[in-house]
Amino acid sequence: MSRLVRAAGSALLVVALLALIVPLGIHWSGATLFATPEPSVSTPPWQLPPSTPAAQSGGLRSRAPQPSPSALSSLLGKTLVPDGAGSFAAHVVDAETGTVLYTNKAEEARTPASNMKLLTAAAALQALGPDSRFTTETLRTGPASVSIRGGGDVLLTAGESQPDEVMGHAGLATLAGRTVDALRAAGVKGKVTVAGDAGLFSGPALNPAVDPGDVEAGETAPVAPLALNSARLDPDVLTGPRPQDQTATVVKAFVAALNKAGASGKAGASGGALTFVAGGSAGTGAVLAGVESATVAEQVSWMLQHSDNFLTDVLGRMVAVKSGRPGSYTGGIAAVRSELDQLGLDTRGMVIADLSGLSAANRVSPAQFTSLIRLMTTGSNSALRAALDGFPVAGLSGTLNARYGDASSKGGAGLVRAKTGTLNTVLSLSGYVVDADGRLLVFSFIGNGLTPGAAGNKAALDDSATVLAGCGCR
């Protein structure tokens, strides 16, 4: 297997991520997964560094040999070892046949941390559809009053809509301009009050299963069906304090955008100049204007890449609304479990305390994760295939960007695709990889009771996934 050295340039990252559009021979249309074997080459093309992309047809080989369970057990027995206290549970499965290649406490329900987001991702894609979008609208609720109604898009930004972006696909400046145009066309003049409408969601804005300390630390924030920057003060700053009232934050930014758009009117012109102030309350009325979010598939990818807890909770509540349940945290949990059941996933023993994985009360087994990832990679439901683009790539993207640079794990860089999970005593890694022989493997490693901060635990996960990438283990 060629040894991949991480590249620092952004060009390499772009090339690598483009290669994921049809990852490893998987076709988004749900067409044939396993390609016809190519003539043998000294270095398999799917093992080449991302800077040297090869034809995708040279990846998966349906007649490639499976790793030997005994050989794999011997190798993982050396790498999947805790640094101090605790233990790892693991499951490795051949994606095509479902053959179990390695198992260690695989049926044991464990705290999975952010691997929980894989469950929410599947439910959102199944229930909402990969191509669906959420609309943020303005309504004229009175002669001189407007409300901005949240439709589930929490990736709004203050500027103009950016059609090529996920965060900021819908912008408040664009919505403001369209709203002002509609008001002027209706002959509205003078001062207009602006209210926020977050009525799509109900119940507590925070799940009580989440530790308040995580909220204070900025791991998440009170949920609403509209928010700026996924409830961040700055879209480029992913840590630190968050706004605690999403609706008020959006209204304040929207009023500023409206006043900027309304100031261009001249007295005596159609509608004249307009000024806007926050106030009043949400109500019903005619729709003035709207802006649409990025697709659900794009939002799911963002959620997985950035391990976005806030967005995860919102998507779960949107699944609840779609199913006719209340848009509450309890409705979201019930809706996600129902979607998993409909997908045929065995959810016995599974505990869903919160959807993002912040709660230590969650319980999911490695075997349940590998079953889900098999549905995503080789199942007949093409909607789930959209989740694969969101799996972070070892050494290149998302929450795996800064990993797989050590001598023991760099062989997995660019090859391993997996969702990470981290809590105080929990580390997890669940994903998929094509091994050196061309076999698609899915895996889940979950460590519980680990020594907090012990560096060897994360290395154990990365080294073990690298073992899978390098297999031809016979």
Side-chain angles (χ1 to χ4, degrees), residues 234-417:
D234 185 315
D236 297 321
V237 179
L238 301 181
T239 59
R242 292 173 178 256
Q244 296 301 293
D245 187 332
Q246 311 314 323
T247 306
T249 300
V250 169
V251 168
K252 180 179 179 181
F254 189 51
V255 166
L258 285 167
N259 279 317
K260 184 175 181 181
S264 60
K266 296 180 180 179
S270 176
L274 292 164
T275 59
F276 299 86
V277 294
S281 58
T284 58
V287 173
L288 292 168
V291 286
E292 289 192 326
S293 71
T295 66
V296 165
E298 291 168 331
Q299 292 188 59
V300 164
S301 290
W302 178 280
M303 173 187 76
L304 296 177
Q305 285 281 325
H306 298 277
S307 203
D308 191 320
N309 299 311
F310 181 86
L311 178 58
T312 305
D313 290 335
V314 169
L315 288 174
R317 292 193 187 211
M318 292 302 291
V319 173
V321 171
K322 180 70 173 182
S323 71
R325 294 177 172 86
S328 61
Y329 78 85
T330 55
I333 289 171
V336 167
R337 180 180 284 277
S338 176
E339 293 297 330
L340 296 175
D341 288 336
Q342 291 179 49
L343 288 170
L345 190 69
D346 184 356
T347 60
R348 288 175 297 179
M350 182 184 293
V351 176
I352 305 179
D354 88 298
L355 298 176
S356 66
L358 282 174
S359 174
N362 290 309
R363 294 288 186 274
V364 186
S365 72
Q368 288 169 324
F369 279 120
T370 56
S371 293
L372 179 60
I373 298 169
R374 276 197 74 210
L375 288 175
M376 292 173 172
T377 55
T378 62
S380 60
N381 189 329
S382 61
L384 298 187
R385 206 83 73 237
L388 300 179
D389 193 44
F391 279 64
V393 183
L396 288 174
S397 69
T399 54
L400 287 180
N401 179 58
R403 291 165 62 168
Y404 290 79
D406 296 336
S408 58
S409 64
K410 66 181 181 181
L415 304 175
V416 174
R417 279 95 168 151

Side-chain angles (χ1 to χ4, degrees), residues 150-202:
D153 186 3
V154 296
L155 301 180
L156 296 163
T157 52
E160 298 288 339
S161 295
Q162 301 294 320
D164 295 327
E165 300 294 332
V166 180
M167 175 81 77
H169 188 91
L172 292 183
T174 297
L175 181 60
R178 293 173 181 174
T179 301
V180 166
D181 288 345
L183 289 172
R184 284 184 175 147
V188 177
K189 302 178 181 180
K191 186 171 74 171
V192 178
T193 61
V194 182
D197 183 350
L200 188 64
F201 291 171
S202 60

Side-chain angles (χ1 to χ4, degrees), residues 78-167:
K78 298 173 184 176
T79 58
L80 201 58
V81 179
D83 181 4
S87 64
F88 287 107
H91 204 225
V92 181
V93 177
D94 179 79
E96 181 183 12
T97 65
T99 301
V100 176
L101 303 174
Y102 179 79
T103 181
N104 178 25
K105 304 178 182 177
E107 304 293 336
E108 182 179 292
R110 294 194 147 208
T111 302
S114 281
N115 278 200
M116 289 294 294
K117 292 181 175 69
L118 294 173
L119 307 181
T120 308
L125 291 168
Q126 164 74 5
L128 303 171
D131 298 325
S132 62
R133 300 175 187 269
F134 308 143
T135 303
T136 306
E137 296 177 321
T138 51
L139 288 78
R140 187 177 179 189
T141 55
S145 60
V146 169
S147 66
I148 177 170
R149 181 167 65 188
D153 186 3
V154 296
L155 301 180
L156 296 163
T157 52
E160 298 288 339
S161 295
Q162 301 294 320
D164 295 327
E165 300 294 332
V166 180
M167 175 81 77

